Amino acid sequence: MPDRGGGPSGPRMRVGRPSRRARTLLLTLGVLAVLAMAFIMFAGFWTDWLWFRSVKYSSVFTTTLWTKIGLFAVFGLLMAGAVGLNVWLAYRLRPPLSAMSMEQQSLDRYRMSVAPYRKWLLLGVAAVVGLIAGASAAGQWKTWLMYVNGVPFGKKDPQFHLDVSFYTFDLPWYRFLLGFGFAAVVLSVIAAVVVHYLYGGLRVTSPGARATAAATGHLSVLLGLFVTFKAVAYWLDRYGLAVKSSDFKASDNWTGLRYVDANAYLPAKTILVAIAAICAVLFFATLWRRTWQLPVIGFGLMVLSAILIGGLYPAIVQKFQVQPNEQAKESPYVEKNIKATRDAYGIDGTEVKDYPGVPNAGTNKDQLRKTADTTASIRLLDPNIVSPAFQQLQQVKGYYAFPSTLAVDRYSGQDTVIGLRELNIGGIPKNNWINDHFRYTHGFGVVAAKGNTATDKGAPDFTQSDLPSQGMFGKDFQQRIYYGEQTKQYSIVGGPQKELDYSDDKGEKETSYKGDSGVNLDSPVNRAAYALAFSEPQILYSGAIGEGSRILYNRTPKDRVEAVAPWLTIDGAPYPAVVDGRIKWIVDAYTTTNGYPYASRTTLGQSTADSLTNSQRAVVAQENRVNYIRNSVKATVDAYDGTVDLYQWDTQDPVLKTWMKAFPGTVKPKSEISKPLMDHLRYPQDLFKVQRELLTRYHVTDPQTFLSGSEAWQVPDDPTTKAGTAVPPYYLSMKMPEQKEKDQVFSLTTTFTPNGRDNLSAFMAVNADPGTPDYGRIRLLKLPTSSPVDGPKQVQSKFNSEPKIAESIRLLRGGDSEVEYGNLLSVPLDGGMLYVEPVYVRSATLKYPLLRKVLVTYGGQTAFEDTLEKALNVVFGAEAPTTPVPPETQPTKPGETPANPPAAQDPTVKAALADAQKAVEDADKAMKAGDWNAYGKAQSDLQAALKRAIEAEAKLTAPRPGG
């Protein structure tokens, strides 16, 4: 009979055993699988390396890579060594297994099962914990680089008198080391306990001692290390109080010590350090005493002390010392917080001046009218509204598009609205792989328009237009746009497949990319790597790819700058400029930290949000909580070849200096910024929005007033929308009161209102022109609280409720037209506030907005006219308003009889005008009553009456034959 157990010569073994061919096939498949996985990992690494090399920032890739590898290796080995050593030590300290108890007998089978694989298990456990720890440590590469390259701030915190760099660069690394130490000890304790229990060093149910002397000593040393680390943690917690966030009525994001911290928590942490150190000594002493009694008592006392000293005592101090006299107790610490916060956000130099908010009664109106022209270059072209007009008038082809929000820049001293005609992949006539990635590869041309004027028909007054683009920039500059905000797909250029360049009256023009950017696909390895990276196998074998083919990707300005400088936070609004015959994207970048002592934190995403924020204009790393920010880098991205240049802007910023030490040669000195480029740099919007959010509270420097909250402000909601989101800041060339410069200065402006109210509390402007000595100077005009001045929402409400204006708006909305309000600009003028708002009409047929009216208000006077000049004349009394009233009721000059033209006396015209007046009255009544059917009928009657009057007047004034 055959052996049923399957012996070596049994037929069942021969039948079930794979053949040599099958084993070879399985081995081959296994090797192929391993090679495939290896190539997948290699592809990601290789394509990253190729990209960084193509943009000439390979040092960023190598520095980051070697730092991660080093941290992974060092801390992975340390963790593996610590756990492995303690497992080995616990095994070596196992007791002899004589006189087995029932508990040990039941564990014997596990020991027997483990015995053959003991070494492999040890290596496996050590490898797993090492890999996990190494991966965690590799993620701390920024912390390590900041620690080893840290540059002093030259400023000390007010509590411990340590340089700020200790908190920003050193403390985070110390905390990581401490956390790593805790993890190593805890894992070692767990591993040692398991081994000691498995081999009898620890017993649960056996009679006699629960632990052998060797196990007791081993675990006591580990627990002693744990308590030692706890003592170090208590010591670091003392310094952590300077950067600790807490709830405090003075600020939602309060950071730094308060009275209870300095007088309760700080001494408590110091006492706990001593207690933990004594407790650690007691644990180490068990190596000689061989008893747990004293260390357990010490550990219990430490826990009890932590509860009483670290928790109960501060609560008592807060309740019985602070709360009865909070302002007096907290004022010194509030003062430190105010000073640190204003310094950390660059608002410490803010100039605050009182401003009356009402016009100077003694100023001559004619002089005031002239001053209005010289005080500000009022921008009527709203870059947030006119994009559809650019699209309709200058799109040319469906596969081009403009961004939804255009940029504001200045050219030849004039505010200019500018946009690029970028490629719109969704507008390609036929989408397929060749068209999407080979044929349609780039946008073409710049379109610009004057910011403060429009054509007679209300369209943008273009200074650069058409395709190819021509105008103020000429046409002999590189107009192709391979890199832009909307260019998110990859393209393969420069090979045998020709690209569509642009179309004109003579047909389509073709081109082939001649730039140096992108990665060469001549190599089969490169093609295979990108085929895998982009999940597109056609890259590997397509005939459209050949000699000279290059793949372009990471094509948005934000993506490129963030990739080459991952330590920077990128502004949400890159903007284009024509510089030295090239289109350059200008990108503002920030250095940030959340470790500035005493400075209150803010969340970038919340602080930079406004009515225009969307996924395209959101700040990178918007969820970051920071308490220090500097616009330390100005970056440019060439729209044709994608070249990225980083320029040092803030030469004093220690955070940037630290990163420049870590990545030498990546940031160019400020002196290399050319004059043409300097002319187009500006103060960044996101930094301004963060600063204005902080200034709603930190414009106050008196601690008592700060604590009371009586002077707190808020950023008003955008009155031109119904979204309930903050009003965006506006770029505007203007002169502030008592400004040193004689000419208007390109500025970034905003307004504030009191908390919970709509009247104006302050006007804020920053000099946004780097070409002036006062660049970055923040000015606040603080309005009186005793005599409220209308804020933006109130001004908009009065615009809407003015009967004649409301009627004109209703007429503009006739038919299917829509009325859109442009940016409500605020300008300080002779003690008062001048408000100007363009009004656009978008008809159903044109589908893009045209500037039709301008709203202006100043000193209680409001005008609604066809042009800004006319509206200013009306407001300042230099001209009469053009109100739509019947001719016979128009006012006359002194001594002049009323004009009675023949048309006004015609019975048909008079009847039509009477019907129109009645229709207006009926519409007003219907609107107040909420009867929209009656309102619609009244509007129809009004249009019909006006049409009859116009036709009758035309007949009367038409020239007669032979006349």
Side-chain angles (χ1 to χ4, degrees):
M1 295 290 292
D3 182 4
R4 294 185 180 274
S9 60
R12 292 180 180 273
M13 176 58 71
R14 289 196 300 270
V15 172
R17 186 177 182 180
S19 66
R20 178 176 297 178
R21 180 179 295 179
R23 292 197 303 272
T24 303
L25 178 61
L26 290 174
L27 180 62
T28 302
L29 291 175
V31 171
L32 290 175
V34 171
L35 290 176
M37 293 179 63
F39 187 76
I40 289 173
M41 297 175 63
F42 168 78
F45 161 81
W46 185 242
T47 53
D48 285 346
W49 162 248
L50 291 173
W51 186 86
F52 275 96
R53 191 175 64 176
S54 73
V55 293
K56 299 178 177 60
Y57 282 89
S58 55
S59 62
V60 174
F61 178 82
T62 53
T63 300
T64 304
L65 177 65
W66 285 115
T67 302
K68 290 179 178 180
I69 291 175
L71 291 172
F72 179 89
V74 170
F75 286 94
L77 288 174
L78 284 175
M79 182 65 76
V83 175
L85 175 64
N86 281 281
V87 169
W88 175 83
L89 190 59
Y91 176 75
R92 294 285 293 175
L93 296 175
R94 69 191 186 281
L97 297 177
S98 57
M100 297 283 287
S101 65
M102 292 298 295
E103 180 183 13
Q104 292 303 312
Q105 289 178 14
S106 65
L107 291 172
D108 186 54
R109 56 179 178 174
Y110 295 107
R111 286 192 286 267
M112 298 296 291
S113 300
V114 167
Y117 311 104
R118 189 168 56 244
K119 291 183 180 180
W120 291 108
L121 280 174
L122 173 61
L123 292 175
V125 170
V128 169
V129 296
L131 288 172
I132 295 173
S136 175
Q140 297 294 322
W141 66 273
K142 290 183 181 179
T143 307
W144 166 250
L145 287 177
M146 293 182 78
Y147 172 70
V148 296
N149 296 288
V151 173
F153 274 68
K155 298 178 181 179
K156 296 183 177 181
D157 78 282
Q159 182 65 42
F160 301 102
H161 307 291
L162 296 174
D163 192 90
V164 172
S165 61
F166 171 80
Y167 299 93
T168 55
F169 305 141
D170 299 345
L171 189 58
W173 180 250
Y174 295 152
R175 282 179 163 169
F176 165 72
L177 292 178
L178 185 63
F180 179 84
F182 272 124
V185 170
V186 169
L187 290 174
S188 296
V189 168
I190 293 172
V193 166
V194 170
V195 175
H196 278 303
Y197 177 71
L198 184 63
Y199 286 95
L202 296 176
R203 305 181 182 93
V204 177
T205 61
S206 301
R210 300 297 183 190
T212 62
T216 299
H218 183 197
L219 294 178
S220 294
V221 171
L222 291 176
L223 292 174
L225 287 174
F226 181 87
V227 178
T228 301
F229 285 140
K230 190 62 181 173
V232 176
Y234 283 136
W235 184 257
L236 292 181
D237 284 347
R238 298 168 69 255
Y239 301 110
L241 293 172
V243 290
K244 182 194 72 171
S245 290
S246 60
D247 294 330
F248 186 33
K249 71 177 184 179
S251 172
D252 296 333
N253 298 302
W254 175 270
T255 301
L257 284 83
R258 292 157 50 194
Y259 181 89
V260 69
D261 296 314
N263 295 278
Y265 281 110
L266 187 56
K269 297 291 184 183
T270 306
I271 294 171
L272 288 172
V273 169
I275 294 174
I278 294 171
C279 185
V281 171
L282 293 177
F283 272 106
F284 292 136
T286 56
L287 285 172
W288 297 275
R289 292 180 55 85
R290 304 296 185 182
T291 175
W292 291 85
Q293 186 176 5
L294 285 179
V296 169
I297 292 174
F299 188 79
L301 288 175
M302 186 183 76
V303 173
L304 182 62
S305 300
I307 296 172
L308 296 177
I309 302 175
L312 184 60
Y313 174 62
I316 293 173
V317 171
Q318 178 68 23
K319 179 71 174 178
F320 295 101
Q321 290 190 35
V322 178
Q323 288 185 5
N325 193 17
E326 186 172 36
Q327 288 202 346
K329 296 290 186 183
E330 299 289 13
S331 286
Y333 304 95
V334 171
E335 187 174 4
K336 295 174 184 178
N337 174 268
I338 292 173
K339 186 178 183 301
T341 301
R342 288 170 62 88
D343 180 71
Y345 290 94
I347 57 177
D348 51 324
T350 301
E351 296 182 7
V352 181
K353 292 186 177 180
D354 291 331
Y355 189 72
V358 293
N360 187 347
T363 305
N364 179 275
K365 288 188 176 182
D366 292 336
Q367 180 61 38
L368 193 58
R369 175 66 186 87
K370 294 178 181 178
T371 305
D373 286 334
T374 59
T375 297
S377 177
I378 303 295
R379 182 169 42 75
L380 298 178
L381 208 62
D382 187 344
N384 314 307
I385 287 183
V386 299
S387 179
F390 275 52
Q391 189 82 358
Q392 290 291 326
L393 299 174
Q394 290 295 320
Q395 180 187 22
V396 183
K397 296 292 182 180
Y399 45 81
Y400 292 132
F402 291 92
S404 58
T405 299
L406 303 173
V408 177
D409 203 346
R410 63 263 188 231
Y411 290 88
S412 303
Q414 182 182 68
D415 290 1
T416 302
V417 176
I418 185 171
L420 300 188
R421 191 184 286 111
E422 293 191 48
L423 178 66
N424 172 26
I425 199 73
I428 294 176
K430 184 177 181 181
N431 290 103
N432 54 54
W433 190 63
I434 294 295
N435 276 350
D436 292 353
H437 301 288
F438 292 82
R439 182 70 176 166
Y440 297 87
T441 59
H442 60 279
F444 204 103
V446 181
V447 176
K450 295 179 181 178
N452 56 356
T453 61
T455 66
D456 294 339
K457 296 181 179 180
D461 187 1
F462 293 111
T463 56
Q464 183 82 17
S465 59
D466 300 333
L467 183 67
S469 176
Q470 54 187 336
M472 65 185 297
F473 307 135
K475 57 182 179 180
D476 297 328
F477 65 98
Q478 182 53 263
Q479 300 193 30
R480 297 173 182 87
I481 303 161
Y482 282 88
Y483 295 88
E485 284 189 292
Q486 302 183 63
T487 314
K488 299 179 180 179
Q489 75 284 354
Y490 71 88
S491 289
I492 299 176
V493 298
Q497 175 67 52
K498 292 293 184 181
E499 309 163 47
L500 173 64
D501 202 19
Y502 65 91
S503 299
D504 60 14
D505 296 338
K506 298 179 181 179
E508 294 184 343
K509 308 293 184 181
E510 292 185 331
T511 188
S512 186
Y513 185 66
K514 302 299 183 184
D516 295 330
S517 65
V519 177
N520 199 304
L521 294 179
D522 288 351
S523 165
V525 175
N526 290 1
R527 292 177 68 170
Y530 279 101
L532 188 62
F534 290 122
S535 301
E536 183 50 71
Q538 292 187 78
I539 293 177
L540 188 59
Y541 56 79
S542 174
I545 302 175
E547 183 179 357
S549 291
R550 311 177 73 87
I551 185 167
L552 313 181
Y553 62 104
N554 281 357
R555 298 171 69 182
T556 69
K558 288 197 292 185
D559 286 347
R560 294 182 78 78
V561 175
E562 187 182 26
V564 303
W567 32 273
L568 290 174
T569 299
I570 312 303
D571 189 272
Y575 59 98
V578 179
V579 179
D580 293 329
R582 311 280 289 192
I583 301 172
K584 299 276 190 179
W585 288 99
I586 299 175
V587 185
D588 285 289
Y590 311 106
T591 46
T592 62
T593 179
N594 67 348
Y596 198 99
Y598 272 100
S600 291
R601 291 183 171 88
T602 186
T603 303
L604 291 181
Q606 295 176 0
S607 298
T608 58
D610 59 34
S611 61
L612 301 179
T613 305
N614 53 37
S615 58
Q616 181 176 307
R617 293 176 59 86
V619 65
V620 173
Q622 59 178 322
E623 296 305 317
N624 279 10
R625 284 173 58 81
V626 303
N627 66 353
Y628 173 92
I629 185 169
R630 290 290 187 273
N631 177 211
S632 53
V633 171
K634 298 285 188 180
T636 63
V637 177
D638 192 289
Y640 180 72
D641 62 21
T643 301
V644 180
D645 290 312
L646 306 176
Y647 298 98
Q648 182 182 15
W649 185 246
D650 189 333
T651 57
Q652 304 301 316
D653 177 29
V655 181
L656 177 60
K657 291 179 180 179
T658 296
W659 287 118
M660 290 175 69
K661 280 182 64 179
F663 297 96
T666 57
V667 181
K668 298 180 179 180
K670 187 176 183 178
S671 58
E672 292 192 20
I673 299 177
S674 66
K675 178 62 168 62
L677 175 59
M678 183 71 77
D679 290 341
H680 297 285
L681 301 182
R682 67 188 191 187
Y683 201 84
Q685 292 187 49
D686 283 339
L687 175 61
F688 183 80
K689 287 188 280 188
V690 170
Q691 290 174 327
R692 76 170 178 178
E693 181 64 32
L694 269 296
L695 281 171
T696 58
R697 291 169 287 126
Y698 286 93
H699 67 279
V700 176
T701 56
D702 177 62
Q704 301 286 342
T705 307
F706 188 91
L707 279 168
S708 69
S710 59
E711 292 292 327
W713 299 338
Q714 65 183 10
V715 178
D717 291 340
D718 189 346
T720 64
T721 69
K722 297 180 180 179
T725 48
V727 62
Y730 296 122
Y731 286 106
L732 186 69
S733 291
M734 59 172 292
K735 287 196 297 186
M736 287 285 284
E738 302 179 16
Q739 178 178 297
K740 294 180 182 179
E741 296 87 0
K742 295 181 180 179
D743 298 326
Q744 298 173 5
V745 174
F746 193 62
S747 305
L748 193 52
T749 66
T750 193
T751 54
F752 295 103
T753 58
N755 265 347
R757 300 200 303 276
D758 294 327
N759 56 287
L760 192 66
S761 57
F763 175 85
M764 173 183 175
V766 63
N767 184 327
D769 187 353
T772 58
D774 279 347
Y775 170 79
R777 181 183 180 187
I778 300 175
R779 295 181 176 94
L780 271 177
L781 300 181
K782 186 179 177 183
L783 281 79
T785 56
S786 56
S787 52
V789 177
D790 287 344
K793 189 174 181 179
Q794 292 172 321
V795 169
Q796 186 70 50
S797 179
K798 288 185 177 180
F799 279 159
N800 296 338
S801 61
E802 181 74 26
K804 293 179 180 178
I805 296 176
E807 179 57 32
S808 297
I809 293 292
R810 286 196 292 271
L811 290 174
L812 291 174
R813 285 192 177 123
D816 295 328
S817 298
E818 297 179 6
V819 172
E820 298 182 35
Y821 294 103
N823 36 223
L824 179 58
L825 301 177
S826 311
V827 179
L829 178 64
D830 194 49
M833 293 299 298
L834 175 69
Y835 288 97
V836 179
E837 182 177 56
V839 179
Y840 296 84
V841 176
R842 187 196 300 257
S843 69
T845 53
L846 288 178
K847 296 183 180 179
Y848 63 88
L850 295 175
L851 179 64
R852 289 304 190 195
K853 293 284 185 179
V854 180
L855 282 163
V856 175
T857 185
Y858 180 79
Q861 301 296 319
T862 300
F864 185 61
E865 302 295 338
D866 294 338
T867 65
L868 174 62
E869 183 179 7
K870 172 73 174 178
L872 290 173
N873 288 341
V874 170
V875 161
F876 294 115
E879 194 173 343
T882 55
T883 51
V885 295
E888 65 268 20
T889 63
Q890 290 183 355
T892 59
K893 295 180 181 179
E896 187 175 292
T897 57
N900 290 304
Q905 300 301 318
D906 182 76
T908 305
V909 174
K910 291 178 67 175
L913 291 176
D915 291 343
Q917 183 63 30
K918 184 176 184 304
V920 170
E921 294 172 358
D922 291 344
D924 284 337
K925 293 178 182 178
M927 185 174 64
K928 293 177 181 178
D931 188 346
W932 301 113
N933 290 330
Y935 177 80
K937 182 178 182 302
Q939 290 293 316
S940 299
D941 293 344
L942 175 62
Q943 292 181 17
L946 291 175
K947 184 178 180 181
R948 291 201 311 273
I950 292 171
E951 290 174 349
E953 185 177 3
K955 290 179 181 179
L956 290 171
T957 57
R960 297 178 182 179

